[in-house]
Amino acid sequence: AGSAARWVAEWAEERHGRAMERNERNEAEEEDETRRERRREEREAMETKHLRLGAALEQFIFLTDVANSALTFLHLTHIWYLLGLRLGLVDAVIALNLHASASATARKVFERHRLCRLAGELHDKFVDANPVEIKKAAAQEDVCCICLGKLSVDVKRLGCGHLLHASCLREPN
């Protein structure tokens, strides 16, 4: 009877030990899942921040280009004003440079307008991917076929079901 009681005690202790190990593993898995979820949320927040910074940088570059062209135009106009209009070779060169500067500015403004209109059309034409589709794509380790980045923020669904970053759809090249 003593050996049976000892065997039962050992069995119960072993079973209790396995249960404790299982509980520790489950807790560790839950902590890992929480950490993964937190990292995913941090990555999405970082991607959103980068998208906003990219848009702000793009706007800054556009405004800088337009300001540069405008200053060049004003500079050439000022030189022409100081030299006076004599219809000579210098005047012809200044007139050509003024034309080139005005054309470049108009081209930049037109291109910006076209890109903004295109972005609006893309936004209207393609629907936003819902969170379930994005999580499914993340689980299958799908990537954007244009930039090969992970699909987590600002994702559009094409008519065929493919998912792409909206910013990749807007890229002119």
Side-chain angles (χ1 to χ4, degrees):
S3 67
R6 196 173 355 166
W7 179 82
V8 169
E10 288 174 0
W11 176 80
E13 187 176 312
E14 182 180 321
R15 185 174 169 106
H16 176 70
R18 276 188 268 160
M20 292 296 290
E21 288 174 7
R22 203 171 326 125
N23 286 342
E24 289 173 3
R25 272 196 313 268
N26 287 342
E27 288 174 3
E29 288 173 2
E30 288 174 6
E31 287 177 13
D32 287 345
E33 183 63 32
T34 303
R35 265 191 241 120
R36 277 194 296 270
E37 183 67 24
R38 194 176 327 121
R39 273 193 238 123
R40 186 184 64 75
E41 290 171 358
E42 289 172 355
R43 186 174 52 246
E44 286 178 4
M46 184 70 74
E47 287 179 15
T48 302
K49 180 181 176 183
H50 285 167
L51 286 172
R52 279 194 303 257
L53 288 174
L57 182 61
E58 184 179 318
Q59 180 73 15
F60 176 75
I61 290 170
F62 168 72
L63 293 174
T64 304
D65 284 345
V66 169
N68 183 29
S69 295
L71 285 174
T72 301
F73 185 84
L74 290 173
H75 175 69
L76 291 170
T77 304
H78 184 251
I79 290 173
W80 206 355
Y81 173 76
L82 292 175
L83 293 176
L85 182 61
R86 290 188 228 114
L87 298 177
L89 183 61
V90 173
D91 293 324
V93 171
I94 291 175
L96 286 173
N97 283 327
L98 280 169
H99 179 267
S101 177
S103 296
T105 303
R107 197 170 33 254
K108 288 173 188 170
V109 170
F110 175 75
E111 181 68 19
R112 178 67 176 200
H113 175 70
R114 189 182 71 77
L115 287 175
C116 288
R117 190 187 66 213
L118 177 65
E121 289 174 5
L122 286 174
H123 181 71
D124 294 342
K125 184 170 180 151
F126 300 111
V127 296
D128 291 334
N130 62 43
V132 174
E133 292 173 322
I134 295 172
K135 284 187 179 185
K136 182 179 175 185
Q140 295 175 348
E141 297 182 5
D142 283 349
V143 295
C144 173
C145 63
I146 296 174
C147 71
L148 301 178
K150 291 186 178 184
L151 297 166
S152 60
V153 176
D154 196 26
V155 179
K156 294 286 189 179
R157 182 171 34 87
L158 302 180
C160 60
H162 286 97
L163 301 177
L164 303 171
H165 293 117
S167 56
C168 293
L169 285 171
R170 285 190 294 264
E171 285 294 318
N173 298 331

